[in-house]
Amino acid sequence: MTQRLPPSLTPLDTALAVLLRGVGPVAPVELPLAEAVGCIAAGMPQLAAYPPCDIAVVDGWALRANDLVGASSYSPLPLTGLPVWVDAGDAMPAGCDCVLDAGAVEVSGPLAQVLAEGVPGQGVGRAGGDTADRSPAATAGLPIDATALLLARVADVERLSIRRPRLRIVNVPGATATMQMITDLARAAGLEVTAHEAGSRDATSIAEALDVSVCDLLLTIGGSGAGRADASVTALAQRGAEFAHGLALQPGRTAAAGRLGKVPVLALPGAPAPALAVWLALVLPLIDRMSARQPRRQITLPLARKIASSVGIAEIALLAEEHKTWMPLAVGEWPLHAIAGADAWLLIPASHEGFAADEPVDAYLMRE
């Protein structure tokens, strides 16, 4: 039996509400630093002040700036004793507050003279200058990035607490490229991803792969339309899922969204553009809720030209930044070159007819 789209499409807001209903943040887990990158920070360890004391940040002679007033190559200042040489990273000797370059001090046996003045703090890293005492390695609710890893490593922190939703992807044969795109996006978003291939495109084979026992979110890729070989929606029905098939979203009209037991489930189309649109409009808000992520950053710029949209269906526009404006690349239908060239995306609600030229709009970045 061929699956069919219903006569009326489910509003995007309705589908999102069903997916988010009862969903809360997943429990935090601790991961080694290398595995935590990209994941959303949970409770972060408080770091000790770094450096713990004043240190030299350049190689040179450690001295006290007030003792060097008036020193120059024309008026060398003799020292009563040899100064202390420090390498970058060494603790500053007591009473010293600056580091002069090697050529600024002449040493001849037990005698030394200074050829330049110094400034307090010159060549010195102050205690707590890199990280203040009791500061976090990363901000809770934001992705762990290379900077957070640097702070953790400097402070000898080996593991970080993160939230990492578990995603199971079931690929329907024929949608491998789209499955790999979604897998890459999910891993970049910090999810724990397992990908499985259905044995074939028939409903029974797909249904056998719909295991939600060890995941927080289930996605199927491909087979969500009304083609003769499409059976993902039929498979969801066989497993007893409660879902809406046919969304008022363009691209992404043939997707399905609902629940399989308590686990949110989405059937994404096999074509890259509608699958990506569903990822942006429905999957991202869902994983942000599961990760307790802070709101994603939006960039406000005026539109370089008008965007027209049909009332009654939400549409996503792809945008490129040009001369401090958003230039629309594609609306509703996305060629691959538009996806590749897009800097941001804009959701046009179903109640809107679009936006006028020069109107400021808030767009989400494609790559944060």
Side-chain angles (χ1 to χ4, degrees):
M1 179 177 178
T2 303
Q3 59 191 27
R4 292 283 183 261
L5 288 174
S8 61
L9 300 176
T10 299
L12 181 64
D13 291 346
T14 301
L16 182 58
V18 170
L19 290 170
L20 293 176
R21 186 181 67 240
V23 172
V26 300
V29 296
E30 288 193 351
L31 291 180
L33 300 188
E35 297 179 29
V37 64
C39 299
I40 304 302
M44 288 290 100
Q46 293 183 330
L47 306 180
Y50 186 85
C53 62
D54 289 355
I55 63 170
V57 295
V58 296
D59 305 326
W61 300 102
L63 294 158
R64 193 165 77 98
N66 283 347
D67 295 339
L68 310 180
V69 176
S72 71
S73 59
Y74 299 104
S75 180
L77 176 68
L79 299 177
T80 57
L82 288 177
V84 176
W85 177 268
V86 290
D87 291 325
D90 288 347
M92 288 294 291
C96 296
D97 61 3
C98 68
V99 179
L100 299 189
D101 292 338
V105 177
E106 287 186 346
V107 178
S108 178
L111 302 177
Q113 58 182 5
V114 181
L115 309 179
E117 292 185 320
V119 178
Q122 176 181 334
V124 176
R126 297 299 189 187
D130 286 327
T131 60
D133 190 35
R134 302 179 66 80
S135 61
T139 302
L142 292 180
I144 301 291
D145 58 12
T147 300
L149 296 186
L150 170 64
L151 294 178
R153 289 181 176 121
V154 167
D156 292 326
V157 173
E158 296 182 352
R159 303 175 72 87
L160 292 176
S161 178
I162 55 91
R163 298 186 193 275
R164 193 183 193 188
R166 301 166 300 169
L167 169 64
R168 180 181 174 91
I169 296 177
V170 175
N171 183 51
V172 176
T176 301
T178 300
M179 182 273 291
Q180 291 172 339
M181 175 189 70
I182 295 299
T183 299
D184 291 341
L185 289 171
R187 287 180 174 150
L191 276 66
E192 179 183 339
V193 183
T194 57
H196 300 266
E197 182 92 6
S200 68
R201 292 183 61 89
D202 65 277
T204 299
S205 298
I206 298 170
E208 289 175 351
L210 302 181
D211 180 9
V212 295
S213 61
V214 290
C215 68
D216 303 301
L217 171 62
L218 174 67
L219 300 181
T220 66
I221 311 293
S224 68
R228 293 181 178 179
D230 289 339
S232 294
V233 174
T234 302
L236 287 173
Q238 287 184 5
R239 289 297 302 269
E242 298 179 1
F243 61 90
H245 181 211
L247 306 181
L249 173 67
Q250 191 64 17
R253 185 173 61 95
T254 65
R259 297 295 187 93
L260 182 52
K262 295 182 179 180
V263 175
V265 57
L266 292 105
L268 275 59
L276 177 58
V278 176
W279 172 270
L280 297 175
L282 291 173
V283 182
L284 281 187
L286 185 56
I287 62 176
D288 286 355
R289 174 76 65 86
M290 292 178 173
S291 304
R293 181 187 170 123
Q294 295 189 21
R296 291 176 180 268
R297 187 164 64 98
Q298 293 178 287
I299 304 296
T300 304
L301 291 174
L303 283 172
R305 65 168 185 250
K306 176 183 177 180
I307 292 179
S309 178
S310 301
V311 174
I313 187 166
E315 294 190 273
I316 300 180
L318 297 179
L319 311 172
E321 184 179 356
E322 293 186 8
H323 309 297
K324 298 185 179 180
T325 66
W326 287 130
M327 174 62 72
L329 299 180
V331 182
E333 298 293 339
W334 300 351
L336 291 182
H337 68 79
I339 296 175
D343 297 313
W345 60 280
L346 172 67
L347 178 64
I348 307 168
S351 58
H352 282 50
E353 294 182 351
F355 301 93
D358 297 324
E359 182 176 353
V361 295
D362 301 326
Y364 290 101
L365 297 177
M366 294 289 285
R367 294 164 290 275
E368 291 187 310

